[in-house]
Amino acid sequence: MAFGSPSVKDHKSSGFIKNDAGSSGNLKITNSDTYAVQPDPARHGKYLWKIWASGFTLLNPGTQITVTVQKVSAVLYQSGYAAAQLHAPVATYDNLKETIAASGSVTVRSLKEPGTTLRADNVVFYAATHKIVATGHVVYHNGKTQMEIHTNELVGDTVLKTLTSNTGGSAALPKGF
Amino acid sequence: MVPVQKLSIDYLRLLKPLFVAICVSCMGASACVRAAQEQTIGQISIVYKHFTYGGSSFTADGGVTVKSAHFNLNADSVVLELGDKTSTTGILKATAEGNPAKNLQVDGQFERGVEKQKQTFEFLADHAVYTPDPSRPSGGTVVFTGHVTMFVTAPDKLSGPSETHLKEATVTLGPSTDPAYPSIEGEDGQTVLTPLQRESK
C-alpha cells in the first residue's frame, strides 16, 4: 500500500504546504508551529500519524520523500484511533518504507494502556502494520501489571499491549507475590 | 387426632450462635484484609532469552531464571499470569516447564533457617505451578509434578544431601523470618539420607 506524501502544515507562513509526490526539490521549514499529518488511506478522515516538531527538512528526490524532524512530539494511530504518543529529539519519515524512525532518547506512551511506557535509544514505527520496533537500552513499563522489562530489542503493537523480544534481557515485578 | 405439640422458639438462643458466627466472620475477614496489607512485597526478577507479553500474560522461554527472596527457579519456559494494580498479588499464577528434548527439568531452590541451621531444598521436576495465597503474609504454594527429585541439605543434621524421589511435592511458602517456612509435603516418596554421626563422649 502506498501512502503518498504527508501534508505539512505551517501556521506562520503559507498555512498549508502540500508536497506533491514525484516532484523534485527539497523543502526546509523551521517553525515551532509546524506539524505534519499522514492520512490513513483505509479510513477516510483518520490518520496514521501526526507530528509536531521544531523543524522539518523535507527531501524529495523523485518518488521517495524523507522528512527529518527535530524535537518531535507525535501521535501514532492504530486502526484509526490515537494509540500512542511519541517524543524524540529527532525522527525521520520515509514514505517508501512507510516508517517513522525516531532516535535519541525516545519515549512512547500508550494512550490506551494508562501508565504504560517505552523508552529506547531508537524506535521505528511501521505505519502500515501498526508495529513498533525499539532497539538499544529498551525499558518497558506496564502500567497495569507494573512489570518492567529491560532488553536490547523489542517488537510491539502501537498501544504497547502485545510485545515480543528475542534478544534476551530481564524483567522485574516490583509487587512480586 | 394427632396431638399438636406446642412449639416454643427461643429466638435469643437461636440468634446467639448466629451473632457469634457473624462476629467471627467479620474478625476473619478483617484478619484476611490485614494479612493482605501486611503482605511482604517481594520483587521478582526474571532473566530470559525470549518473551512474549500480551494482555496480562507473560511467557518467557528458551531458558528462564526467576529469582525472588523466597526461591530461585530455572526452567525452559515460564508463564506468568499477572494481576493488575487492584490485585493483592502481582502474580495470579505461574507455571514453569522443563524441556524433555533438552533433558532439562525445572529446578527450584528454597532455603529455610539461618546460618548453621540453614536447610536448602532443591527440586527437580518436569512441571511446577506457583499459586499465591493472599490470606497469609508472603503466602503461596509451589507444586512440583513429574519425575520429582528433592535434595535436602541440613549441615547440622545430615552428612550430605538427602535424595528423595516423589510423585508430587508441595512447597508452602511463608515469611522468610518464620522458621516453619517453607514447609514441604510429598506424595509416594522414597528417601535416601545419611544422618550426621555424633561423636559419643
Side-chain angles (χ1 to χ4, degrees), chain A residues 22-171:
Chain A
S23 66
S24 59
N26 301 333
L27 177 67
K28 187 170 186 176
I29 304 163
T30 51
N31 189 332
S32 59
D33 293 332
T34 307
Y35 70 99
V37 295
Q38 175 69 60
D40 186 344
R43 294 171 186 80
H44 181 69
K46 303 285 184 181
Y47 300 103
L48 290 170
W49 50 260
K50 285 183 185 178
I51 289 179
W52 290 260
S54 63
F56 283 71
T57 304
L58 205 149
L59 304 173
N60 189 5
T63 54
Q64 183 174 16
I65 301 165
T66 307
V67 185
T68 302
V69 286
Q70 281 97 38
K71 293 181 185 174
V72 186
S73 181
V75 174
L76 311 179
Y77 289 76
Q78 181 168 309
S79 305
Y81 63 81
Q85 201 169 35
L86 179 145
H87 295 281
V90 183
T92 300
Y93 166 76
D94 187 317
N95 73 317
L96 291 184
K97 293 178 183 171
E98 299 166 357
T99 58
I100 294 174
S103 59
S105 181
V106 186
T107 58
V108 182
R109 184 170 65 88
S110 174
L111 297 175
K112 290 288 172 187
E113 298 280 309
T116 298
T117 57
L118 177 77
R119 284 185 283 120
D121 294 342
N122 305 289
V123 171
V124 181
F125 169 61
Y126 292 85
T129 52
H130 313 296
K131 192 170 74 174
I132 281 176
V133 178
T135 52
H137 304 97
V138 183
V139 181
Y140 167 83
H141 177 83
N142 187 290
K144 187 180 169 190
T145 63
Q146 304 299 306
M147 178 173 260
E148 192 159 290
I149 297 169
H150 295 254
T151 186
N152 281 324
E153 185 178 293
L154 188 147
V155 180
D157 59 354
T158 315
V159 293
L160 303 177
K161 191 175 182 182
T162 306
L163 310 164
T164 185
S165 175
N166 288 309
T167 55
S170 65

Side-chain angles (χ1 to χ4, degrees), chain B residues 82-134:
Chain B
L82 303 169
D84 57 23
K85 278 181 179 173
T86 59
S87 306
T88 51
T89 57
I91 293 176
L92 303 177
K93 188 182 177 185
T95 308
E97 299 286 337
N99 188 333
K102 295 178 187 171
N103 200 23
L104 188 71
Q105 285 192 291
V106 178
D107 182 350
Q109 294 162 23
F110 306 82
E111 286 185 351
R112 180 165 69 189
V114 289
E115 295 179 0
K116 285 183 181 178
Q117 293 181 329
K118 183 182 281 184
Q119 280 184 295
T120 61
F121 302 87
E122 182 174 3
F123 292 86
L124 297 176
D126 295 340
H127 323 277
V129 177
Y130 165 74
T131 312
D133 179 0

Side-chain angles (χ1 to χ4, degrees), chain B residues 62-85:
Chain B
V64 187
T65 301
V66 182
K67 288 184 180 179
S68 81
H70 294 75
F71 63 79
N72 287 348
L73 187 136
N74 292 292
D76 186 61
S77 65
V78 171
V79 178
L80 304 180
E81 291 171 27
L82 303 169
D84 57 23
K85 278 181 179 173

Side-chain angles (χ1 to χ4, degrees), chain A residues 145 163 166 171 173 175-177, chain B residues 42 44 46 50-51 53 87 89 130:
Chain A
T145 63
L163 310 164
N166 288 309
L173 267 172
K175 210 172 183 179
F177 295 104
Chain B
I44 290 179
I46 303 154
H50 168 259
F51 83 82
Y53 190 13
S87 306
T89 57
Y130 165 74

